[in-house]
Short mmCIF file of all heavy atoms in Angstrom, two decimals:
data_model
loop_
_atom_site.label_atom_id
_atom_site.label_comp_id
_atom_site.label_asym_id
_atom_site.label_seq_id
_atom_site.Cartn_x
_atom_site.Cartn_y
_atom_site.Cartn_z
N ILE A 1 -10.80 -11.00 -0.97
CA ILE A 1 -11.99 -10.73 -0.19
C ILE A 1 -12.51 -9.29 -0.40
O ILE A 1 -13.68 -9.05 -0.63
CB ILE A 1 -11.74 -10.97 1.33
CG1 ILE A 1 -11.48 -12.44 1.60
CG2 ILE A 1 -12.89 -10.46 2.18
CD1 ILE A 1 -12.66 -13.36 1.37
N ALA A 2 -11.57 -8.39 -0.36
CA ALA A 2 -11.92 -6.96 -0.53
C ALA A 2 -12.50 -6.67 -1.92
O ALA A 2 -13.39 -5.85 -2.09
CB ALA A 2 -10.73 -6.06 -0.26
N ALA A 3 -11.99 -7.37 -2.93
CA ALA A 3 -12.45 -7.15 -4.29
C ALA A 3 -13.95 -7.46 -4.42
O ALA A 3 -14.62 -6.84 -5.26
CB ALA A 3 -11.66 -8.01 -5.26
N LYS A 4 -14.45 -8.34 -3.58
CA LYS A 4 -15.85 -8.76 -3.65
C LYS A 4 -16.71 -8.01 -2.60
O LYS A 4 -17.95 -8.15 -2.66
CB LYS A 4 -15.97 -10.24 -3.45
CG LYS A 4 -15.26 -11.10 -4.49
CD LYS A 4 -15.38 -12.58 -4.16
CE LYS A 4 -14.66 -13.43 -5.20
NZ LYS A 4 -14.73 -14.88 -4.87
N SER A 5 -16.07 -7.33 -1.69
CA SER A 5 -16.86 -6.72 -0.60
C SER A 5 -16.66 -5.23 -0.50
O SER A 5 -17.57 -4.45 -0.84
CB SER A 5 -16.50 -7.40 0.76
OG SER A 5 -15.09 -7.36 0.98
N THR A 6 -15.51 -4.77 -0.05
CA THR A 6 -15.27 -3.36 0.17
C THR A 6 -14.80 -2.63 -1.09
O THR A 6 -14.81 -1.39 -1.14
CB THR A 6 -14.22 -3.14 1.26
OG1 THR A 6 -12.95 -3.61 0.82
CG2 THR A 6 -14.63 -3.86 2.54
N HIS A 7 -14.38 -3.39 -2.11
CA HIS A 7 -13.89 -2.85 -3.39
C HIS A 7 -12.71 -1.93 -3.22
O HIS A 7 -12.54 -0.96 -3.96
CB HIS A 7 -15.05 -2.13 -4.11
CG HIS A 7 -16.27 -3.02 -4.32
ND1 HIS A 7 -16.26 -4.13 -5.12
CD2 HIS A 7 -17.49 -2.95 -3.72
CE1 HIS A 7 -17.46 -4.72 -5.05
NE2 HIS A 7 -18.21 -4.04 -4.23
N LYS A 8 -11.88 -2.22 -2.21
CA LYS A 8 -10.63 -1.49 -2.05
C LYS A 8 -9.48 -2.42 -2.44
O LYS A 8 -9.62 -3.64 -2.40
CB LYS A 8 -10.47 -1.03 -0.60
CG LYS A 8 -11.58 -0.05 -0.12
CD LYS A 8 -11.20 0.62 1.16
CE LYS A 8 -10.07 1.64 0.96
NZ LYS A 8 -9.80 2.45 2.17
N SER A 9 -8.35 -1.82 -2.79
CA SER A 9 -7.19 -2.62 -3.20
C SER A 9 -5.94 -1.88 -2.87
O SER A 9 -5.87 -0.64 -2.92
CB SER A 9 -7.25 -2.92 -4.70
OG SER A 9 -6.08 -3.62 -5.13
N LEU A 10 -4.89 -2.66 -2.54
CA LEU A 10 -3.54 -2.12 -2.31
C LEU A 10 -2.73 -2.01 -3.61
O LEU A 10 -1.65 -1.46 -3.59
CB LEU A 10 -2.78 -2.97 -1.29
CG LEU A 10 -3.34 -2.91 0.13
CD1 LEU A 10 -2.88 -4.11 0.94
CD2 LEU A 10 -2.89 -1.60 0.82
N PHE A 11 -3.27 -2.55 -4.67
CA PHE A 11 -2.57 -2.55 -5.96
C PHE A 11 -3.06 -1.46 -6.89
O PHE A 11 -4.16 -0.90 -6.75
CB PHE A 11 -2.79 -3.90 -6.66
CG PHE A 11 -1.95 -5.03 -6.13
CD1 PHE A 11 -2.51 -6.02 -5.37
CD2 PHE A 11 -0.57 -5.08 -6.36
CE1 PHE A 11 -1.75 -7.06 -4.88
CE2 PHE A 11 0.19 -6.10 -5.88
CZ PHE A 11 -0.38 -7.10 -5.13
N PRO A 12 -2.24 -1.12 -7.89
CA PRO A 12 -2.70 -0.19 -8.95
C PRO A 12 -3.91 -0.81 -9.67
O PRO A 12 -4.17 -2.02 -9.52
CB PRO A 12 -1.49 -0.10 -9.88
CG PRO A 12 -0.31 -0.53 -9.08
CD PRO A 12 -0.85 -1.51 -8.10
N PRO A 13 -4.65 -0.03 -10.43
CA PRO A 13 -5.83 -0.55 -11.12
C PRO A 13 -5.46 -1.74 -12.04
O PRO A 13 -4.36 -1.81 -12.59
CB PRO A 13 -6.31 0.65 -11.97
CG PRO A 13 -5.76 1.82 -11.25
CD PRO A 13 -4.46 1.40 -10.64
N SER A 14 -6.37 -2.70 -12.16
CA SER A 14 -6.14 -3.85 -12.99
C SER A 14 -5.95 -3.50 -14.47
O SER A 14 -5.45 -4.32 -15.25
CB SER A 14 -7.28 -4.86 -12.85
OG SER A 14 -8.51 -4.22 -13.22
N THR A 15 -6.31 -2.28 -14.80
CA THR A 15 -6.13 -1.84 -16.22
C THR A 15 -4.66 -1.52 -16.48
O THR A 15 -4.31 -1.25 -17.64
CB THR A 15 -6.96 -0.59 -16.47
OG1 THR A 15 -6.71 0.39 -15.44
CG2 THR A 15 -8.47 -0.94 -16.45
N ASP A 16 -3.79 -1.54 -15.48
CA ASP A 16 -2.38 -1.27 -15.64
C ASP A 16 -1.54 -2.42 -15.09
O ASP A 16 -0.94 -2.33 -14.03
CB ASP A 16 -2.01 0.05 -14.95
CG ASP A 16 -0.64 0.59 -15.35
OD1 ASP A 16 0.14 -0.20 -15.99
OD2 ASP A 16 -0.35 1.74 -15.08
N PRO A 17 -1.49 -3.55 -15.82
CA PRO A 17 -0.77 -4.70 -15.30
C PRO A 17 0.72 -4.47 -15.13
O PRO A 17 1.34 -5.11 -14.30
CB PRO A 17 -1.04 -5.80 -16.38
CG PRO A 17 -1.45 -5.02 -17.62
CD PRO A 17 -2.12 -3.77 -17.11
N TYR A 18 1.30 -3.54 -15.94
CA TYR A 18 2.70 -3.29 -15.79
C TYR A 18 2.99 -2.62 -14.43
O TYR A 18 3.98 -2.97 -13.76
CB TYR A 18 3.23 -2.42 -16.94
CG TYR A 18 4.72 -2.17 -16.86
CD1 TYR A 18 5.63 -3.20 -17.13
CD2 TYR A 18 5.24 -0.90 -16.49
CE1 TYR A 18 7.01 -2.96 -17.04
CE2 TYR A 18 6.59 -0.69 -16.40
CZ TYR A 18 7.46 -1.71 -16.69
OH TYR A 18 8.83 -1.49 -16.61
N ALA A 19 2.15 -1.70 -14.06
CA ALA A 19 2.33 -1.04 -12.74
C ALA A 19 2.24 -2.07 -11.62
O ALA A 19 3.00 -2.02 -10.66
CB ALA A 19 1.28 0.07 -12.56
N LYS A 20 1.29 -2.99 -11.74
CA LYS A 20 1.15 -4.03 -10.71
C LYS A 20 2.39 -4.89 -10.68
O LYS A 20 2.85 -5.28 -9.61
CB LYS A 20 -0.09 -4.89 -11.00
CG LYS A 20 -0.34 -5.93 -9.94
CD LYS A 20 -1.65 -6.69 -10.18
CE LYS A 20 -1.91 -7.71 -9.08
NZ LYS A 20 -3.20 -8.41 -9.27
N ALA A 21 2.97 -5.19 -11.87
CA ALA A 21 4.20 -5.99 -11.90
C ALA A 21 5.34 -5.26 -11.21
O ALA A 21 6.15 -5.92 -10.53
CB ALA A 21 4.55 -6.34 -13.35
N LEU A 22 5.41 -3.96 -11.39
CA LEU A 22 6.48 -3.20 -10.71
C LEU A 22 6.32 -3.26 -9.20
O LEU A 22 7.31 -3.35 -8.46
CB LEU A 22 6.45 -1.71 -11.17
CG LEU A 22 6.86 -1.50 -12.65
CD1 LEU A 22 6.82 0.02 -12.92
CD2 LEU A 22 8.27 -2.02 -12.91
N VAL A 23 5.07 -3.25 -8.72
CA VAL A 23 4.84 -3.39 -7.29
C VAL A 23 5.27 -4.76 -6.83
O VAL A 23 5.84 -4.90 -5.72
CB VAL A 23 3.34 -3.14 -6.98
CG1 VAL A 23 3.01 -3.50 -5.53
CG2 VAL A 23 2.97 -1.68 -7.26
N ARG A 24 5.03 -5.80 -7.61
CA ARG A 24 5.47 -7.11 -7.26
C ARG A 24 6.98 -7.18 -7.16
O ARG A 24 7.55 -7.91 -6.31
CB ARG A 24 4.93 -8.13 -8.27
CG ARG A 24 3.48 -8.43 -8.18
CD ARG A 24 3.11 -9.12 -6.89
NE ARG A 24 1.77 -9.67 -6.92
CZ ARG A 24 1.15 -10.22 -5.87
NH1 ARG A 24 1.78 -10.31 -4.72
NH2 ARG A 24 -0.07 -10.70 -5.98
N LEU A 25 7.68 -6.49 -8.04
CA LEU A 25 9.13 -6.42 -7.96
C LEU A 25 9.61 -5.77 -6.67
O LEU A 25 10.54 -6.21 -6.04
CB LEU A 25 9.74 -5.66 -9.16
CG LEU A 25 9.75 -6.39 -10.51
CD1 LEU A 25 10.26 -5.46 -11.61
CD2 LEU A 25 10.63 -7.63 -10.42
N GLN A 26 8.95 -4.71 -6.27
CA GLN A 26 9.23 -4.05 -5.00
C GLN A 26 9.07 -5.02 -3.86
O GLN A 26 9.92 -5.14 -2.98
CB GLN A 26 8.34 -2.85 -4.83
CG GLN A 26 8.52 -1.74 -5.88
CD GLN A 26 7.34 -0.76 -5.92
OE1 GLN A 26 6.40 -0.85 -5.10
NE2 GLN A 26 7.38 0.16 -6.85
N SER A 27 7.94 -5.73 -3.89
CA SER A 27 7.62 -6.66 -2.81
C SER A 27 8.63 -7.80 -2.77
O SER A 27 9.02 -8.29 -1.67
CB SER A 27 6.21 -7.22 -3.00
OG SER A 27 5.88 -8.17 -2.01
N ASP A 28 9.04 -8.28 -3.92
CA ASP A 28 10.03 -9.38 -3.98
C ASP A 28 11.33 -8.96 -3.37
O ASP A 28 11.97 -9.70 -2.61
CB ASP A 28 10.23 -9.78 -5.43
CG ASP A 28 11.15 -10.95 -5.57
OD1 ASP A 28 10.75 -12.09 -5.28
OD2 ASP A 28 12.35 -10.76 -6.02
N HIS A 29 11.75 -7.72 -3.64
CA HIS A 29 13.00 -7.21 -3.03
C HIS A 29 12.89 -7.11 -1.52
O HIS A 29 13.84 -7.46 -0.81
CB HIS A 29 13.34 -5.85 -3.63
CG HIS A 29 14.46 -5.14 -2.91
ND1 HIS A 29 15.75 -5.51 -3.03
CD2 HIS A 29 14.43 -4.06 -2.02
CE1 HIS A 29 16.50 -4.74 -2.25
NE2 HIS A 29 15.73 -3.85 -1.67
N ILE A 30 11.74 -6.69 -1.07
CA ILE A 30 11.53 -6.59 0.37
C ILE A 30 11.67 -7.95 1.04
O ILE A 30 12.38 -8.10 2.06
CB ILE A 30 10.15 -5.96 0.67
CG1 ILE A 30 10.10 -4.51 0.19
CG2 ILE A 30 9.82 -6.03 2.17
CD1 ILE A 30 8.66 -3.96 0.03
N SER A 31 11.00 -8.94 0.48
CA SER A 31 11.01 -10.26 1.10
C SER A 31 12.35 -10.96 0.99
O SER A 31 12.81 -11.61 1.92
CB SER A 31 9.91 -11.12 0.49
OG SER A 31 8.65 -10.56 0.77
N ARG A 32 13.01 -10.87 -0.17
CA ARG A 32 14.23 -11.59 -0.43
C ARG A 32 15.46 -10.92 0.21
O ARG A 32 16.40 -11.61 0.61
CB ARG A 32 14.47 -11.73 -1.93
CG ARG A 32 13.55 -12.68 -2.65
CD ARG A 32 13.88 -12.64 -4.14
NE ARG A 32 12.99 -13.45 -4.95
CZ ARG A 32 13.21 -14.74 -5.23
NH1 ARG A 32 14.30 -15.31 -4.80
NH2 ARG A 32 12.32 -15.42 -5.97
N THR A 33 15.44 -9.61 0.25
CA THR A 33 16.65 -8.89 0.61
C THR A 33 16.51 -8.03 1.83
O THR A 33 17.31 -8.14 2.78
CB THR A 33 17.10 -7.98 -0.59
OG1 THR A 33 17.24 -8.82 -1.77
CG2 THR A 33 18.43 -7.29 -0.29
N LEU A 34 15.52 -7.15 1.87
CA LEU A 34 15.46 -6.17 2.96
C LEU A 34 15.16 -6.80 4.30
O LEU A 34 15.84 -6.49 5.28
CB LEU A 34 14.44 -5.09 2.61
CG LEU A 34 14.41 -3.86 3.49
CD1 LEU A 34 14.02 -2.61 2.69
CD2 LEU A 34 13.41 -4.02 4.65
N VAL A 35 14.15 -7.66 4.37
CA VAL A 35 13.78 -8.26 5.66
C VAL A 35 14.90 -9.12 6.25
O VAL A 35 15.25 -8.96 7.41
CB VAL A 35 12.46 -9.03 5.51
CG1 VAL A 35 12.16 -9.84 6.79
CG2 VAL A 35 11.30 -8.06 5.24
N PRO A 36 15.50 -10.05 5.46
CA PRO A 36 16.62 -10.80 6.03
C PRO A 36 17.79 -9.91 6.47
O PRO A 36 18.42 -10.20 7.50
CB PRO A 36 17.03 -11.74 4.87
CG PRO A 36 15.82 -11.87 4.03
CD PRO A 36 15.13 -10.52 4.09
#
């Protein structure tokens, strides 16, 4: 929604897909390990 309206994002720029993938790894650890 924000990409089409406010043009804000919580992710690194789309020009850096590796950085975005590292953020996904962080998020995966949070959900699988830290929260439980």
Side-chain angles (χ1 to χ4, degrees):
I1 293 295
K4 298 177 181 179
S5 56
T6 65
H7 306 292
K8 298 194 72 173
S9 176
L10 290 160
F11 282 108
S14 59
T15 53
D16 194 346
Y18 182 71
K20 183 175 182 178
L22 291 181
V23 170
R24 287 293 193 187
L25 284 176
Q26 297 162 4
S27 178
D28 183 74
H29 169 72
I30 294 162
S31 296
R32 289 178 184 269
T33 305
L34 190 147
V35 171

